[in-house]
Amino acid sequence: MKSAVLFLTLYFAGTYSQQLCDHPPSEWCSTWEIAKACQVEKQCIEYYSHKDPKKTNEPAVQVELYYESLCGACRRFLVFQLLPTWLMLNNIMNVTLVPYGNAQEKEVSGKWEFTCQHGPDECYVNTIEACIIDQLKDIESHFPVIACIEQSANLTSVLGPCLAAFAPQLSVKTVMDCVNGDLGNKLMHQNAMRTDALNPPHEYVPWVVINGKHTDTLQDRAMGALFNLICETYTGPKPDACSGKEVTPLKRDSVCLN
């Protein structure tokens, strides 16, 4: 019943955007690009989040993404690989987002100061995203907001619209109080320590860790076809989505070097 209701929601949500959408309703959630073109991203997230998982005691695949907010390669991986893979396979994978990347920190008068690879705006957006993750807690709530920010043309000015669309229960003021206060500083220091503790140390971002491990082979496979990698890594009964097609691959050399 939930699936039927959600598809009806998809249909009516998409009727006003026919000029942008050349796909039938049955395809609107097949890829993130089509969902964006048909302006039904939120409804697709709801649809995949409500799909019933197959009962299993097998552990979910753990995926950690170490990234920085203004890195083009990070943004492409998060929006075009990780997000659609998670939308279709969220019942068999857990995602952890760590915004920090190739930044540097130093302690000055008892407070941490950060220098980011792409300048002050990147430090600012990194902190916004760290605060969103902290305030919304579970991945189902904060990942859509982070993806909304990362796919925007101007990342520094979309907090309000992205919260309104995907997490209206969280106010801009609450996020900005965190960003400008001690909590935001503490969260970024925690992300710095977590990133600096990577073994092996990260050489670039996006840096992908699967089930606690990072190797060149895992990174290449994640960048090339994360969807297939998750399906193959999961040891329980494969969900129906694993019989579908892979997500658009990305080039291995699309990284921001440390």
Side-chain angles (χ1 to χ4, degrees), residues 140-151:
E140 290 82 4
S141 297
H142 66 247
F143 197 0
V145 183
I146 301 299
C148 176
I149 292 172
E150 289 296 325
Q151 70 180 352

Side-chain angles (χ1 to χ4, degrees), residues 17-48:
S17 59
Q18 291 298 318
Q19 71 275 15
L20 298 176
C21 182
D22 297 326
H23 303 274
S26 60
E27 296 181 1
W28 284 349
C29 289
S30 60
T31 71
W32 188 243
E33 292 90 340
I34 293 176
K36 287 178 61 180
C38 298
Q39 300 182 20
V40 291
E41 303 103 300
K42 183 175 182 179
Q43 290 80 8
C44 288
I45 289 172
E46 292 174 353
Y47 169 68
Y48 280 112

Side-chain angles (χ1 to χ4, degrees), residues 20-222:
L20 298 176
C21 182
D22 297 326
H23 303 274
S26 60
E27 296 181 1
W28 284 349
C29 289
S30 60
T31 71
W32 188 243
E33 292 90 340
I34 293 176
K36 287 178 61 180
C38 298
Q39 300 182 20
V40 291
E41 303 103 300
K42 183 175 182 179
Q43 290 80 8
C44 288
I45 289 172
E46 292 174 353
Y47 169 68
Y48 280 112
S49 296
H50 284 86
K51 288 191 69 117
D52 295 327
K54 295 181 178 180
K55 293 182 178 180
T56 176
N57 292 322
E58 295 298 323
V61 181
Q62 305 297 317
V63 180
E64 300 167 43
L65 175 63
Y66 295 82
Y67 72 102
E68 54 196 25
S69 58
L70 268 60
C71 166
C74 298
R75 297 174 66 187
R76 287 189 293 274
F77 178 78
L78 189 151
V79 173
F80 295 114
Q81 281 274 12
L82 184 58
L83 177 66
T85 297
W86 173 77
L87 284 173
M88 292 182 281
L89 300 178
N90 61 80
N91 292 321
I92 66 168
M93 65 185 292
N94 292 327
V95 172
T96 300
L97 302 174
V98 185
Y100 184 77
N102 298 326
Q104 301 291 326
E105 68 170 0
K106 64 179 180 179
E107 190 174 9
V108 179
S109 301
K111 195 168 184 178
W112 295 98
E113 293 185 356
F114 303 95
T115 303
C116 295
Q117 186 170 23
H118 299 91
D121 281 351
E122 181 165 79
C123 289
Y124 175 64
V125 180
N126 283 350
T127 310
I128 286 177
E129 296 186 357
C131 288
I132 289 170
I133 292 168
D134 178 72
Q135 295 294 324
L136 292 177
K137 307 302 182 188
D138 62 276
I139 189 73
E140 290 82 4
S141 297
H142 66 247
F143 197 0
V145 183
I146 301 299
C148 176
I149 292 172
E150 289 296 325
Q151 70 180 352
S152 301
N154 188 344
L155 281 69
T156 62
S157 63
V158 294
L159 175 60
C162 287
L163 287 177
F166 295 104
Q169 73 275 22
L170 180 61
S171 70
V172 172
K173 181 181 184 304
T174 298
V175 175
M176 294 311 300
D177 285 347
C178 170
V179 170
N180 296 320
D182 292 339
L183 178 56
N185 194 257
K186 176 183 175 182
L187 293 173
M188 288 311 302
H189 175 55
Q190 291 175 349
N191 285 354
M193 292 191 297
R194 184 167 187 167
T195 302
D196 291 343
L198 284 167
N199 185 18
H202 84 285
E203 301 171 4
Y204 49 81
V205 287
W207 188 262
V208 184
V209 177
I210 305 292
N211 285 339
K213 298 180 180 179
H214 175 94
T215 66
D216 288 343
T217 298
L218 283 174
Q219 179 79 22
D220 287 342
R221 295 210 58 205

Side-chain angles (χ1 to χ4, degrees), residues 30 88-89 227-228 231 239-247:
S30 60
M88 292 182 281
L89 300 178
F227 182 90
N228 286 0
C231 285
D240 293 340
C242 283
S243 61
K245 51 191 176 182
E246 66 184 48
V247 177

